Amino acid sequence: MTAAPAKSLADKAAEYGLKPDEYALIVKRLNREPNDVELGVFSVMWSEHCSYKSSKIHLGKFPTKGPKVICGPGENAGVIDIGDGDACIFKMESHNHPSFIEPYQGAATGVGGIMRDVFTMGARPIALLNALRFGDPSHPKTKRLVSGVVSGIGGYGNCVGVPTVAGETNFHRGYDGNILVNAMCVGLADADKIFYSAAPSPGLPVVYFGSKTGRDGIHGATMASQEFDDASDEKRPTVQVGDPFAEKLLIEATLELMASGAVAAIQDMGAAGLTSSSVEMAGKGEVGIELDLDMVPQREEGMTAYEMMLSESQERMLAVLKPGREADGQRIFEKWGLDAATIGHTTDTGHLVLKHRGETVCDVPLAPLFDDAPLYDRPWVAPAPQPRLSAADVGAPTDWAAAIRTLMSAPDMASKRWLWEQYDRHVMADTLEDSATGADAGIVRVHGGRKALAMTSDVTPRYVQNDPYEGGKQAVAEAWRNLTAVGAEPIAITDNLNFGNPERPEIMGQIVRAIEGMAEACRDLDFPVVSGNVSLYNETNGAAIPPTPTVGGVGLLADYAKRADFASMKAGDVLVLVGATVGELGASMYLREILGREDGAPPPVDLAVERRAGDLIRGLIQAGHLRTVHDLSDGGLIAAAAEMALASKVGLALNNPGETADHGFFFGEDQARYLVAVAHDDLEALDAAAEAAGVPYAIVGQAGGDEISLNGAGGFIAAVDLEDLRSVHEGWMPGFMGA
């Protein structure tokens, strides 16, 4: 049998995701051909996942500074000042491709990786969130993917002992071939003890610690920068394997190492593993780095330099220590039972030098790897505008009661109790509000005082699909609104920009316009971007996911006793709709779930109106006049009222004042609105504050009884028994999962 011809380096470059012109550029930068190890290093550092080569020029449009921003994008996570010498560190990242191929480990290692981004900067993780998008429930893979992802998130987070307090879960056929798993972590640190990744000078020891290096995850960053096809299951070897118990030891060892004063710079090993961590530390510090790969702790025999540099084995860290502090580090690593070794040192060469088995297997300048990857201003076309739909363009329900039950039992609207009951939401004993309690954001206390952090994750992909600019604005505005609805002052966001193939102009148009809309909302709401992630090539066989720029928002409650939820409504409370309603039904849940349509322009977002309404609501909460608040989003007024009634276990009656068609009034998704339940004694304060702020409001009903009843402009429309509604609302998810 004739042996297959050896592959050329150019052929290997193509396999690794490098275009022919990119390979030619590598040769030009080196003034020679790279060897196999060097080619592997370039391929991961120049991947979309690591270099942001298609999005970087547009990401510069985001506002990233503010009076409370300590550290914006460019580090492992963003850092904000929350007063009293405390800092909050947070970030969101994707693990989409690995979770589709191997849902349990993909989701689990997504949780582990985002926690490392936070504690590598000196923070103790205090909360986790997730944003999950699955395919149509009827698709043969969906149930298995849901089961695996949820088990992976719970299995990792619960074992590490960090509560999962908030998130969102949606279903749509657009995710059939490429699900999204976005994980967010929030941590606390001392504001004067933040740790960064830039190596400060030559001649310092480079220490590896954590778990041993294996062959799992090799070329994971490259896989995350490619489309799927029918052979995607063959990529299972590029999915990492996580160990939450090792992560817990790593957290404690890292924080103790930092407290010892031995750390000069530190970086977790995430995407691209030892390659990205060493390149970024040396590149940011403008020094060189030399590693002896024989010293790397390995769990498999015969590993090559290529395999060690590209492995994405989990629970590993790289630190640059201060001179002579190796022994201090070793004592800490031994205490926590971690593998550790001094594997190299920083240099003044500006090169990445790798030695293995007595030979130099890589010697390349850091600049082309770190800050000189190709950047593309890819061609793009603006998506065609969708027509604005008025209530007159959309039919009213023929059976209102059936429509309400259908809406509230639809996969996106139904209770996710089955899902979040698998997450430990109260470990650490600081969770005040979570997915179960009926609030628009999770809330976690900060020790040592009365303050708390509020956190949320939001985006409405169908809005972004129909108008990326308005949809981008709305994603930021809804995160701002959800924090406001619990009484928190919104401070900053992280984001996870999930899109299809940027080499297609129509997809690049979605990316550009969504970023521009998000940036405008961030500026107008004083809600800067401090960290984030871009996940592109989310498509299978040329079919892209719906554009999904997820926004993770964090805010501060100065006194957690002055907060609101939507589960505190009492019989006799007056229901007040704050904000104006015209009955926007384009791209609405009503249109999709009741009429089977997905057309129409999404509701426009007036950021000045958003600001006035939100500031009014937050002020009333903090003054003690509001305790029950729910922002209006998916499903409009009827959905918010139903969720409030179900969470409070109190019925209600809603009345249309008559200025808007009934179906527009009850199902419209106009923005900048809140439904509040107030005692009669607090109506006067609400009226005075709303008039002073120039915010319209209407009394739309009263709480009481055991049903939800609707009265339209012409009189009674329908009534739905509250327990009947609870049965269908809470029954869909366990029914789908066979639970």
Side-chain angles (χ1 to χ4, degrees):
M1 179 181 290
T2 305
K7 291 180 181 176
S8 70
L9 281 170
D11 290 337
K12 285 187 177 180
E15 284 184 10
Y16 296 168
L18 292 165
K19 307 288 189 201
D21 57 338
E22 291 175 336
Y23 178 71
L25 187 59
I26 292 170
V27 173
K28 182 178 179 180
R29 290 285 190 270
L30 297 179
N31 201 28
R32 60 176 173 82
E33 291 237 320
N35 63 34
D36 197 44
V37 176
E38 293 166 341
L39 181 62
V41 166
F42 269 99
S43 71
V44 290
M45 293 308 298
W46 283 16
S47 69
E48 193 75 54
H49 191 78
C50 291
S51 71
Y52 298 106
K53 57 191 175 185
S54 297
S55 58
K56 200 168 188 176
I57 63 170
H58 299 289
L59 296 177
K61 299 171 184 176
F62 283 136
T64 59
K65 300 183 186 304
K68 295 187 177 179
V69 176
I70 295 174
C71 177
E75 272 293 341
N76 289 288
V79 187
I80 56 174
D81 187 344
I82 58 171
D84 308 308
D86 297 323
C88 172
I89 300 179
F90 63 102
K91 189 183 183 184
M92 178 182 284
E93 277 216 343
S94 60
H95 233 218
N96 303 333
H97 286 54
S99 298
F100 184 78
I101 295 170
E102 175 35 65
Y104 184 95
Q105 291 295 349
T109 53
V111 173
I114 198 61
M115 280 197 286
R116 287 194 300 280
D117 279 336
V118 166
F119 72 74
T120 195
M121 294 195 70
R124 179 171 292 280
I126 62 164
L128 294 166
L129 299 85
N130 54 70
L132 312 178
R133 318 281 166 184
F134 296 104
D136 191 293
S138 65
H139 191 277
K141 286 187 176 181
T142 300
K143 180 177 174 180
R144 179 183 68 83
L145 290 168
V146 172
S147 178
V149 166
V150 172
S151 297
I153 291 170
Y156 204 100
N158 296 355
C159 290
V160 174
V162 179
T164 300
V165 301
E168 52 185 342
T169 304
N170 295 149
F171 296 84
H172 189 272
R173 64 183 180 278
Y175 303 102
D176 281 351
N178 197 128
I179 66 173
L180 302 183
V181 175
N182 295 173
M184 177 173 167
C185 181
V186 179
L188 282 173
D190 292 338
D192 60 351
K193 295 175 183 173
I194 308 300
F195 288 81
Y196 298 98
S197 56
S201 60
L204 300 179
V206 177
V207 174
Y208 168 123
F209 64 101
S211 296
K212 289 183 171 70
T213 293
R215 291 188 170 96
D216 52 322
I218 293 174
H219 266 295
T222 305
M223 178 192 69
S225 307
Q226 295 173 336
E227 300 174 38
F228 278 153
D229 55 30
D230 293 329
S232 293
D233 280 351
E234 297 173 6
K235 296 178 180 176
R236 285 183 187 273
T238 63
V239 177
Q240 311 91 328
V241 177
D243 181 348
F245 301 104
E247 181 97 344
K248 175 61 175 172
L249 298 174
L250 193 62
I251 292 172
E252 301 305 330
T254 301
L255 295 179
E256 185 172 333
L257 181 68
M258 290 168 168
S260 75
V263 175
I266 191 164
Q267 174 82 36
D268 76 299
M269 293 192 221
L274 188 52
T275 293
S276 64
S277 56
S278 57
V279 167
E280 288 176 15
M281 292 176 83
K284 289 176 183 176
E286 297 182 346
V287 297
I289 190 166
E290 182 175 310
L291 304 180
D292 181 353
L293 299 181
D294 294 337
M295 303 305 295
V296 172
Q298 301 161 51
R299 70 166 181 259
E300 299 182 46
E301 292 183 2
M303 290 192 71
T304 64
Y306 174 93
E307 290 171 331
M308 281 185 273
M309 290 303 293
L310 271 64
S311 167
E312 293 184 11
S313 295
Q314 296 293 284
E315 294 87 37
R316 301 181 301 157
M317 304 286 285
L318 199 64
V320 175
L321 298 187
K322 294 176 182 175
R325 301 300 298 271
E326 297 96 320
D328 296 328
Q330 195 61 40
R331 281 193 295 271
I332 293 168
F333 304 141
E334 288 176 0
K335 170 185 173 181
W336 292 103
L338 300 177
D339 287 289
T342 300
I343 65 168
H345 58 275
T346 57
T347 69
D348 60 3
T349 65
H351 276 227
L352 170 69
V353 177
L354 305 176
K355 296 189 174 180
H356 187 222
R357 298 173 185 165
E359 295 183 6
T360 298
V361 295
C362 171
D363 187 346
V364 295
L366 280 159
L369 293 171
F370 173 66
D371 60 4
D372 194 25
L375 290 182
Y376 298 117
D377 187 359
R378 296 196 186 278
W380 61 276
V381 293
Q386 293 263 357
R388 190 93 171 262
L389 299 180
S390 69
D393 300 318
V394 178
T398 54
D399 183 334
W400 279 79
I404 294 168
R405 283 191 288 266
T406 298
L407 179 71
M408 297 308 293
S409 62
D412 280 8
M413 299 297 295
S415 166
K416 304 304 185 295
R417 177 187 296 272
W418 175 89
L419 183 155
W420 48 248
E421 281 187 341
Q422 299 186 49
Y423 304 149
D424 191 331
R425 306 181 306 282
H426 296 279
V427 64
M428 301 176 79
D430 287 318
T431 304
L432 299 175
E433 304 284 356
D434 64 75
S435 306
T437 55
D440 284 313
I443 302 178
V444 178
R445 288 183 301 196
V446 177
H447 282 292
R450 300 289 298 171
K451 67 189 177 189
L453 289 167
M455 53 206 75
T456 184
S457 166
D458 299 285
V459 66
T460 309
R462 63 184 188 279
Y463 290 177
V464 189
Q465 181 78 59
N466 288 14
D467 186 335
Y469 184 75
E470 287 296 328
K473 283 166 61 179
Q474 193 273 344
V476 173
E478 187 175 348
W480 190 88
R481 197 184 312 140
N482 279 334
L483 297 174
T484 292
V486 299
E489 174 197 358
I491 297 177
I493 72 166
T494 182
D495 61 52
N496 206 138
L497 308 180
N498 307 276
F499 292 90
N501 184 345
E503 297 169 48
R504 294 164 54 194
E506 66 274 19
I507 300 298
M508 198 66 217
Q510 293 176 346
I511 297 168
V512 173
R513 293 298 285 157
I515 287 174
E516 290 173 347
M518 293 171 70
E520 181 182 339
C522 288
R523 283 191 300 270
D524 288 5
L525 297 174
D526 292 328
F527 206 24
V529 180
V530 296
S531 62
N533 174 241
V534 176
S535 175
L536 306 182
Y537 296 93
N538 287 291
E539 52 184 81
T540 298
N541 294 327
I545 60 161
T548 311
T550 310
V551 172
V554 173
L556 180 67
L557 286 153
D559 181 353
Y560 57 71
K562 296 177 181 177
R563 68 182 192 272
D565 56 37
F566 57 81
S568 301
M569 181 173 67
K570 295 178 174 54
D573 281 353
V574 178
L575 297 175
V576 181
L577 178 57
V578 176
T581 299
V582 298
E584 294 283 351
L585 289 167
S588 65
M589 289 297 293
Y590 171 76
L591 203 67
R592 190 177 86 185
E593 298 299 335
I594 308 303
L595 301 183
R597 296 169 54 183
E598 297 189 32
D599 58 321
V605 179
D606 185 321
L607 294 163
V609 171
E610 194 77 60
R611 182 106 189 210
R612 286 197 298 273
D615 290 349
L616 167 69
I617 291 293
R618 191 183 316 105
L620 288 166
I621 295 170
Q622 292 172 354
H625 296 301
L626 286 183
R627 181 68 182 87
T628 308
V629 179
H630 200 359
D631 86 303
L632 268 65
S633 55
D634 287 349
L637 174 61
I638 187 60
E643 289 170 350
M644 191 179 282
L646 291 167
S648 303
K649 299 181 174 62
V650 178
L652 53 82
L654 289 176
N655 308 302
N656 180 5
E659 298 173 1
T660 309
D662 287 339
H663 60 299
F665 178 75
F666 288 113
F667 294 106
E669 296 183 5
D670 307 71
Q671 298 294 292
R673 297 188 301 160
Y674 302 80
L675 181 63
V676 303
V678 297
H680 283 273
D681 293 346
D682 287 311
L683 273 175
E684 188 175 336
L686 188 155
D687 177 74
E691 184 176 355
V695 176
Y697 75 90
I699 295 175
V700 296
Q702 187 166 342
D706 55 10
E707 64 181 19
I708 295 175
S709 65
L710 305 185
N711 295 293
F716 176 77
I717 293 178
V720 177
D721 179 79
L722 193 60
E723 290 311 306
D724 175 48
L725 188 62
R726 186 185 308 280
S727 177
V728 297
H729 179 62
E730 296 192 357
W732 181 82
M733 189 84 191
F736 169 62
M737 297 305 297

